[in-house]
Amino acid sequence: MDENGFTEWVAGHQRQLLRSAYLLTGDLHRAQDLVQEALVKVALRWSRLHDGNPTAYARTIIVRDNISWWRRHRDVPSPERADVASASSDPETALVVQRSLARLAPRQRAVLVLRHFDDLTERETAEVLGVTVGTVKSTNAAALARLREGAPELLDLIGESR
Amino acid sequence: MTDLHTLLDLVTDEVETPDLARTALAAARRRRTRRRGLVAGLAAGVAVAGVVVVPQLVGSDPDPERPTEQPTTGPAPTPSPDEPAPALPPIPADARHPAWDPATAAQLPDYPIESLPTVLALEGSRSAPGDRAEPLALSRTENDELLLQYGGRAWYGLRRPTDAGDLWDSALSRDGTRIAVAGEGGLYWCDAVEVCPSWSRVDVPRKVLEADSRITWTQDSSKVVVAAFRGAYEVDLDTGELSDLGFLGGGTAFDVAPDGHLVTRPPLSISVTEFEGTTPVQDGALAPELGKRTYLSAFADAVAVTRVTDDGDDGLVVLDRGDLSARAFLPIEGDVRGMVRRGELRPVQWLNKVTVLFSVLDPGTDTVHLVTWDTHLRGNLGHVASYPASYDVSLRDLYPA
């Protein structure tokens, strides 16, 4: 295995993956576990992945493992002030955002994070989730609507939704 | 006013990342050559019938080798965000043993086990065993070499299945008579007593095997449980017949007690759930705080479990299988949370009614030590053997030792 190549790739992508996982879970420890597990799986397949798109593979593992976890445990945590404070330069705003995200179903949350944080296209988001582009569109709309209804304070911060 | 991207960026703008590459590489190496023994095989007679498979939530999978079904969840209780967390039973003061520093593992008094070498490493020349004795250990090196150990004799190098590709796991059966390996090429087994003159490939669907698949033998050596995060299956090696054990997925720790009960603990669970077949059989007593992930090893009336808590009172605990009360607790110094998360601290098996064998990594020397813990007395510890951290060592059952 080309460990140097893997290490370089991780150095360039780990922070974005962890930030994304934190938004998916609202729990820094679980986010780190998800990213760690994804990186191990990438490492185990590095010989086949390094010429392709290991980042897309890792992101897909993170998103789907998180949904699997949620299905088993229904343990979407309440945002922890300690996590929020250590993860953001604006903890008060971050707490509002995390509480708002916690109201979403995991797939809605995943679409929101992939589309609006990772800036994936609708097609790329669909590939990560293994759904159709149409499902991504409808899920995104439903997520924003749910935020509009249940978390107006978030939309106050945003001003308008996409 | 801002947009959603900017807001989400603000929520995470101070997230810091530890050295994930180094940790991931180390974990990947260990998985390739994983130290065996955290979960013993299913006991004879365990009826592990199929489990209902729920529809897939997220559609097609990014990797055609990954399973498409999502496993079901076992009935072990987990805290709900809508309910107040129950008060978990504390560990009694008289169950607490003196704290131990794993850096001193190599200096512990010897606990010799007949025929088992104190160093499980490639030493001397490789040669065929002089008889057809049952092997004591199977080791897989960082280069996926498979080596058998016969009670102090030289290692014997096995021929790998020719089309296996990268190996993901290998395991010696509990009675030492068979070896199973899983890898890119599929699932294979061979006759260990005959030193694997040939490998039999088991015809299983691709969904059964993943890069994180782990093999656990049944005690009668006729079947294996192949468990990964996404799910688990029991595979009959002779017929290829599958039983879905989805409740063992999701990082669930499991073992089978001598009475045949499947003892499980999903991540975050506040209990330890036993199954007879697929039916839960105990009353859902609460266990002391154990943490997110655990490793466990079950015996006649007790189970040894790793414990990680928010206040750092971490180590190994022995629970009564009846009421899940703590019988003994070995506090372990250092970063136990990290050790458990990385699989560096695990109960391996029970050597007798009161003695637990566990493995612990000494990161200073990159050596894994097999250590005994006398759970009845004052927590006396003994050193059994050691091997390089890059090895995946799978022991046959050593009970009674």
Side-chain angles (χ1 to χ4, degrees):
Chain A
M1 176 187 170
D2 172 19
E3 294 194 355
N4 289 336
F6 175 79
T7 302
E8 285 176 17
W9 169 76
V10 172
H13 295 86
Q14 62 177 357
R15 185 161 186 266
Q16 179 68 15
L17 290 172
L18 186 59
R19 294 175 75 186
S20 182
Y22 174 51
L23 289 171
L24 288 171
T25 63
D27 180 326
L28 269 176
H29 289 296
R30 207 171 94 198
Q32 190 167 322
D33 281 348
L34 282 169
V35 173
Q36 188 68 65
E37 182 65 21
L39 294 184
V40 171
K41 289 176 178 174
V42 170
L44 287 166
R45 295 165 183 261
W46 184 250
S47 60
R48 285 185 292 162
L49 285 173
H50 74 282
D51 286 335
N53 191 346
T55 308
Y57 182 83
R59 185 182 286 122
T60 302
I61 295 294
I62 290 167
V63 169
R64 296 194 181 188
D65 280 357
N66 180 57
I67 291 174
S68 297
W69 184 289
W70 185 88
R71 286 171 60 84
R72 289 183 187 85
H73 304 293
R74 299 291 197 268
D75 69 334
V76 176
S78 300
E80 295 285 345
R81 283 188 176 274
D83 274 4
V84 168
S86 65
S88 174
S89 60
D90 185 349
E92 291 306 315
T93 300
L95 197 58
V96 171
V97 175
Q98 287 284 22
R99 283 177 176 161
S100 303
L101 293 176
R103 293 172 178 153
L104 300 178
R107 190 159 72 178
Q108 291 176 335
R109 189 165 175 160
V111 167
L112 210 69
V113 171
L114 294 170
R115 289 281 291 122
H116 301 279
F117 180 69
D118 290 322
D119 288 332
L120 300 191
T121 65
E122 288 174 337
R123 176 157 298 284
E124 289 168 335
T125 302
E127 287 172 357
V128 168
L129 287 167
V131 299
T132 65
V133 170
T135 299
V136 170
K137 288 179 179 176
S138 61
T139 304
N140 186 53
L144 292 173
R146 193 157 178 176
L147 291 181
R148 214 173 280 126
E149 294 167 6
E153 65 278 20
L154 176 66
L155 296 183
D156 286 344
L157 289 170
I158 298 172
E160 60 180 12
S161 59
R162 283 200 267 183
Chain B
M1 292 298 180
T2 183
D3 63 13
L4 190 50
H5 177 95
T6 304
L7 207 53
L8 296 175
D9 190 72
L10 180 66
V11 171
T12 60
D13 63 353
E14 295 200 347
V15 167
E16 295 178 354
T17 50
D19 183 4
L20 297 177
R22 182 170 172 271
T23 310
L25 281 171
R29 276 189 221 110
R30 278 193 293 276
R31 284 193 190 176
R32 286 197 186 97
T33 58
R34 186 174 64 97
R35 305 183 302 280
R36 285 290 308 173
L38 74 150
V39 284
L42 285 167
V46 172
V48 277
V51 174
V52 176
V53 176
V54 298
Q56 185 184 16
L57 180 67
V58 293
S60 64
D61 195 273
D63 188 329
E65 295 177 3
R66 297 173 70 84
T68 53
E69 293 86 354
Q70 300 294 329
T72 53
T73 303
T78 54
S80 161
D82 300 325
E83 299 172 359
L88 301 180
I91 292 179
D94 61 0
R96 184 176 294 268
H97 292 166
W100 177 62
D101 179 356
T104 66
Q107 287 80 51
L108 289 171
D110 287 341
Y111 186 106
I113 295 179
E114 187 177 5
S115 299
L116 189 68
T118 55
V119 179
L120 295 168
L122 184 57
E123 291 184 337
S125 59
R126 299 181 194 180
S127 60
D131 55 27
R132 291 290 187 253
E134 291 173 357
L136 290 172
L138 170 71
S139 188
R140 185 158 50 95
T141 72
E142 60 270 28
N143 298 318
D144 275 352
E145 295 172 294
L146 295 171
L147 310 165
L148 278 176
Q149 175 77 50
Y150 294 85
R153 293 195 178 98
W155 287 102
Y156 180 72
L158 297 176
R159 192 169 49 84
R160 286 168 25 124
T162 53
D163 53 352
D166 284 348
L167 296 187
W168 294 332
D169 197 23
S170 56
L172 180 64
S173 62
R174 299 180 74 159
D175 62 2
T177 62
R178 280 175 152 185
I179 293 169
V181 300
E184 287 183 309
L187 177 66
Y188 306 80
W189 69 271
C190 72
D191 185 332
V193 178
E194 297 296 326
V195 204
C196 297
S198 63
W199 290 89
S200 299
R201 188 175 186 279
V202 186
D203 187 19
V204 294
R206 302 292 295 179
K207 66 182 181 182
V208 172
L209 298 172
E210 294 202 68
D212 62 338
S213 290
R214 297 289 164 260
I215 296 171
T216 302
W217 280 92
T218 58
Q219 199 163 44
D220 66 0
S221 302
S222 68
K223 299 173 183 174
V224 292
V225 174
V226 182
F229 187 86
R230 290 287 180 92
Y233 299 86
E234 185 192 58
V235 182
D236 187 309
L237 295 178
D238 297 317
T239 66
E241 183 181 353
L242 291 184
S243 296
D244 191 324
L245 301 178
F247 61 92
L248 296 180
T252 293
F254 70 96
D255 194 6
V256 173
D259 61 6
H261 287 184
L262 190 57
V263 181
T264 75
R265 198 268 178 176
L268 294 170
S269 175
I270 53 178
S271 185
V272 173
T273 303
E274 295 195 15
F275 292 84
E276 188 168 7
T278 57
T279 304
V281 293
Q282 86 280 50
D283 59 6
L286 298 181
E289 183 179 359
L290 297 175
K292 284 186 177 177
R293 285 200 178 187
T294 50
Y295 295 95
L296 64 81
S297 177
F299 201 59
D301 60 357
V303 56
V305 194
T306 54
R307 164 183 160 96
V308 173
T309 63
D310 289 338
D311 58 8
D313 195 20
D314 305 335
L316 289 168
V317 60
V318 169
L319 306 179
D320 185 289
R321 283 180 54 201
D323 59 10
L324 300 184
S325 61
R327 289 184 179 178
F329 175 51
L330 176 64
I332 293 179
E333 298 174 355
D335 177 22
V336 178
R337 181 183 297 275
M339 294 168 70
V340 171
R341 190 167 64 198
R342 295 187 294 269
E344 296 169 358
L345 172 68
R346 302 168 169 178
V348 173
Q349 59 176 258
W350 288 73
L351 297 181
N352 54 52
K353 286 170 62 177
V354 298
T355 306
V356 173
L357 181 70
F358 67 93
S359 65
V360 63
L361 174 72
D362 178 359
T365 60
D366 224 18
T367 300
V368 175
H369 297 281
L370 293 174
V371 175
T372 57
W373 171 32
D374 185 331
T375 65
H376 251 202
L377 301 175
R378 292 179 301 165
N380 291 340
L381 303 172
H383 186 269
V384 173
S386 59
Y387 53 87
S390 60
Y391 277 38
D392 169 9
V393 171
S394 166
L395 298 173
R396 62 161 293 165
D397 275 1
L398 300 172
Y399 173 85

